[in-house]
Amino acid sequence: MKSGTYAVLSAAFFAGLALLGAAIAQESDYPNDPASLAIGRTIAEENCASCHAIGPEGESPNAEAPAFRDLSQRYPISDLEESLAEGIVTGHNDMPEFVLQPDNINQFLGYLSSIQVQKDKN
């Protein structure tokens, strides 16, 4: 392999590691103090509980709505930040559109992060 090719592959590898590290750090940076988690849960109760299971257990009222505790198995929780800031809009009529302020986004995502169930990889 030519040294130029190695340098490009090496740079791409380390850039990918940096992005992964940023995503991991970002999710762990959400507030996890009791007051913030309570606000995050209240946001979930007011905006999401009519369809989603918003706690660490229980079934979603709408069978097609994923339980919040399983969201990190679908995508990184941090992927929701932009949608929450701009207003979540979906293709179905049951989901309300709402926009959150930056502090509330972090509190909501902190709450979501706190209830995630990790699948056993055995």
Side-chain angles (χ1 to χ4, degrees), residues 22-33 36-37 76-82 84 102-114:
I24 291 168
Q26 190 173 17
E27 287 190 22
S28 66
D29 287 343
Y30 296 126
N32 61 5
D33 59 280
S36 294
L37 295 178
I77 296 299
S78 61
D79 284 2
L80 294 171
E81 278 188 50
E82 186 174 343
L84 291 167
D103 284 347
N104 291 138
I105 292 170
N106 287 333
Q107 292 159 332
F108 179 67
L109 295 179
Y111 173 71
L112 288 183
S113 296
S114 76

Side-chain angles (χ1 to χ4, degrees), residues 37-81:
L37 295 178
I39 292 169
R41 182 173 175 92
T42 298
I43 292 168
E45 288 170 346
E46 292 174 355
N47 295 289
C48 314
S50 63
C51 294
H52 296 272
I54 62 164
E57 52 190 40
E59 298 298 317
S60 293
N62 178 337
E64 294 182 22
F68 278 4
R69 67 183 168 274
D70 298 328
L71 290 179
S72 66
Q73 295 170 28
R74 297 170 177 251
Y75 47 80
I77 296 299
S78 61
D79 284 2
L80 294 171
E81 278 188 50

